[in-house]
Amino acid sequence: MHAHSPHAHRRLRGLSFRQTLLVAFLVIAALLGGAAVQALLALEHVAQKSRDAARDAVRLTESAQRLAERTVAMERSARQFLVLDDGLLRDRYQATWQEARATQDVVAAAMPAESQTFREWAVQAEGAWDILNDTPRQAALPLLTPIFSRLHAANEALAQRIQQEVDRRNDALLTDLEQQRQLISGLVIGALALAALFAFGFGWWLSRPMRRIGAAIGRLGDNQFDQPISVRGPVDIQRLGHQLDWLRQRLAALESDKTRFVRHISHELKTPLASIREGVALLQDGVAGALTPDQAEIARILRDSTAALQGQIEDLLRYHATAFEAQRLRCQPVDVKALLLRIAEAQRLQWQAKNLSVCVSGEPGRAQLDADKLSVAFGNLLSNAVRFSPEGHPIRFVVSDKDKRLAIDCIDEGPGVAPEDAERIFDPFYQGRHQPAGARHGSGIGLSIVREYVRAHGGSVRLMPREGGAHFRIELPHEQAAA
């Protein structure tokens, strides 16, 4: 994973595939769980502030109502005292005044900015008390009326400011709620992004050795044993890579033994086979005496059979030589279209004998190639098309650039390839079901040689779907193209 340090890479490589998946799951779960816990804490913070704001709003509103009620009670007690001259009523005024002061202390604790209002209220209440104590009753009433009017006005102004304070706190709470919502959204998005990043990183880190293993198995299936197999990743994947490399070495040894065996047995067979052919030739020349017609027919059959056997042995040697030579390319700038024209000209007698025509079209297609080996591959394609094409029909070669790869299409009008033969048509010594009438069966290695030489150049050859005739396409890496 890109975000890991080298030390973290080493620690991960020390884990098995299952343990690595568990680590990935725990990391992603920790990210998502951390985001969920943080979101819960943020919601709890907002809920607590909401509860506190609601409690303060109720307390302030109740205090404003209580202060207004105490002011009315103070005015009632004062007026009753002036009318009835009862000392208990004056004492009731004083007790109510003390209750109002306690209520003011509650509001002042929550709204310290209103201290000036409370001082003015206290001055007015103190003035009313002085009037009750020091002024004759007949002169006191006109003096008390404006005092209590100012007290009621102060209460109303305080109630309005309390409502404004409650609204301000509610607005602040809504702002804080929006901030917490944005914070939670950011946490969730960030956690999901990090989880996706970690999941992608772990997935990439785990899939990379699997892709290497798949590529290694593909190379083994293609008989490419020259590249060592080294796979990094979890320990069990590394063990699998070591086992595949052991299998590669074993298959390479078996392939080498097979090649040596084929060469040895072919050489051993060629010597007595040459003697048999020489003997048959002497018999046909009458060295041992004239042959009867039946004896001459037997000698002819022996001659044809030994010739066919020798051809098969030579084809076998040629195929193994091709597999060996395919690893030794001598590349140089080649004009593929010009190369196809030379090959068509070299085989002119073969395709003119069947009244065929060969057309080469398309782009020049210059690339870094081994001209000798690709001449063999293209020649085999043309020979195959000539062999299967009915008389008087065209054979077409088309050179084009497809998705930054150089494509060479070979199209004929023959019987085509049977669907059941499509998967094995490039296997060595495989004979397809659609064979030209009256012709001797081929060796079955022509298309195999084409595949060997094309793959050696890093390209591919495949049979394209087509009704009526065969369509083979060779693709070569276009990055090898020369200016």
Side-chain angles (χ1 to χ4, degrees):
M1 196 166 58
H2 300 293
H4 284 330
S5 65
H7 182 62
H9 271 298
R10 289 193 294 270
R11 283 187 296 176
L12 283 176
R13 283 199 294 267
L15 301 176
S16 67
F17 191 85
R18 181 181 300 176
Q19 291 170 335
T20 305
L21 285 179
L22 179 60
V23 169
F25 172 78
L26 291 177
V27 169
I28 294 173
L31 286 172
L32 297 178
V37 170
Q38 187 63 33
L40 289 176
L41 292 176
L43 288 175
E44 179 60 27
H45 170 72
V46 172
Q48 184 61 42
K49 291 190 69 174
S50 177
R51 289 192 294 268
D52 294 342
R55 184 173 60 251
D56 291 344
V58 170
R59 185 170 64 248
L60 288 173
T61 303
E62 290 179 348
S63 297
Q65 293 176 352
R66 190 179 298 112
L67 184 60
E69 292 172 356
R70 294 298 180 270
T71 302
V72 171
M74 288 168 59
E75 183 180 9
R76 184 183 304 113
S77 298
R79 292 182 182 276
Q80 288 176 350
F81 170 72
L82 293 177
V83 173
L84 301 177
D85 193 20
D86 187 349
L88 293 175
L89 294 173
R90 186 174 57 188
D91 294 340
R92 184 182 299 171
Y93 173 89
Q94 186 179 21
T96 306
W97 180 20
Q98 295 299 326
E99 292 176 0
R101 291 173 61 182
T103 302
Q104 286 180 345
D105 292 339
V106 173
V107 179
M111 300 176 60
E114 300 299 325
S115 58
Q116 180 63 31
T117 302
F118 297 139
R119 282 195 296 270
E120 292 177 359
W121 196 96
V123 169
Q124 298 299 325
E126 182 72 27
W129 174 253
D130 291 340
I131 291 173
L132 291 177
N133 288 318
D134 300 333
T135 305
R137 289 183 296 160
Q138 293 79 6
L141 186 59
L143 298 175
L144 288 176
T145 299
I147 290 176
F148 281 105
S149 296
R150 287 191 289 271
L151 286 176
H152 289 309
N155 289 337
E156 291 178 0
L158 183 62
Q160 291 178 358
R161 283 191 284 274
I162 288 175
Q163 184 61 45
Q164 292 173 357
E165 177 65 16
V166 170
D167 293 341
R168 185 190 67 79
R169 294 187 179 185
N170 287 336
D171 292 340
L173 180 62
L174 292 175
T175 301
D176 187 44
L177 179 62
E178 178 63 21
Q179 292 175 349
Q180 295 297 326
R181 186 191 68 79
Q182 294 177 357
L183 174 62
I184 293 173
S185 300
L187 286 172
V188 171
I189 294 173
L192 290 176
L194 283 176
L197 180 63
F198 272 97
F200 174 79
F202 274 107
W204 176 83
W205 188 76
L206 291 175
S207 63
R208 184 176 59 172
M210 302 305 295
R211 290 195 298 269
R212 290 182 176 177
I213 288 176
I217 292 175
R219 290 196 301 270
L220 294 181
D222 293 336
N223 294 330
Q224 299 178 16
F225 308 126
D226 56 325
Q227 298 184 24
I229 299 174
S230 177
V231 180
R232 295 181 179 181
V235 291
D236 44 2
I237 301 298
Q238 293 182 36
R239 286 196 298 269
L240 179 58
H242 295 325
Q243 292 171 346
L244 282 175
D245 194 61
W246 172 86
L247 178 61
R248 176 193 66 83
Q249 297 175 18
R250 181 60 177 161
L251 290 175
L254 291 175
E255 183 68 18
S256 178
D257 292 342
K258 183 187 72 172
T259 301
R260 285 195 299 270
F261 171 77
V262 169
R263 288 180 178 175
H264 176 74
I265 197 65
S266 299
H267 181 269
E268 293 298 323
L269 289 175
K270 287 177 69 176
T271 302
L273 186 61
S275 300
I276 294 174
R277 292 192 65 183
E278 183 65 23
V280 172
L282 292 174
L283 288 176
Q284 287 184 319
D285 291 341
V287 174
L291 300 178
T292 65
D294 291 340
Q295 291 172 339
E297 178 64 19
I298 293 173
R300 186 190 62 79
I301 293 174
L302 288 174
R303 182 197 63 195
D304 293 344
S305 298
T306 53
L309 182 57
Q310 184 174 3
Q312 291 176 353
I313 293 174
E314 291 175 351
D315 287 339
L316 183 61
L317 290 174
R318 185 157 57 96
Y319 174 72
H320 283 280
T322 298
F324 179 77
E325 290 294 330
Q327 308 302 322
R328 291 161 176 78
L329 299 181
R330 292 178 290 275
C331 295
Q332 58 185 353
V334 175
D335 186 331
V336 175
K337 184 177 179 182
L339 180 63
L340 288 170
L341 289 171
R342 290 198 301 270
I343 293 168
E345 184 63 26
Q347 296 191 26
R348 175 179 293 274
L349 293 178
Q350 287 90 330
W351 51 267
Q352 281 188 342
K354 294 185 65 174
N355 195 26
L356 302 174
S357 62
V358 178
C359 174
V360 179
S361 62
E363 305 170 3
R366 291 185 61 84
Q368 292 284 343
L369 305 169
D370 188 320
D372 293 337
K373 292 179 175 57
L374 279 185
S375 293
V376 174
F378 295 154
N380 284 351
L381 273 183
L382 180 55
S383 298
N384 188 73
V386 169
R387 182 167 179 265
F388 285 93
S389 293
E391 293 189 8
H393 286 75
I395 298 172
R396 293 180 290 134
F397 282 94
V398 182
V399 182
S400 59
D401 186 351
K402 296 184 180 298
D403 298 329
K404 296 184 179 181
R405 291 175 70 85
L406 192 63
I408 301 96
D409 293 278
C410 177
I411 306 170
D412 64 53
E413 303 297 329
V417 179
E420 54 271 24
D421 295 333
E423 293 184 1
R424 300 188 58 192
I425 195 64
F426 294 101
D427 291 349
F429 308 107
Y430 182 76
Q431 300 285 341
R433 289 167 173 76
H434 293 170
Q435 295 294 325
R440 185 176 65 88
H441 281 202
S443 62
I445 67 169
L447 292 178
S448 302
I449 292 175
V450 173
R451 182 175 63 177
E452 290 290 338
Y453 281 151
V454 170
R455 283 184 175 178
H457 284 81
S460 64
V461 58
R462 64 183 187 273
L463 177 68
M464 307 298 292
R466 185 171 185 264
E467 293 184 4
H471 179 183
F472 292 94
R473 173 174 293 170
I474 293 175
E475 291 186 357
L476 299 170
H478 199 266
E479 58 266 24
Q480 294 179 353

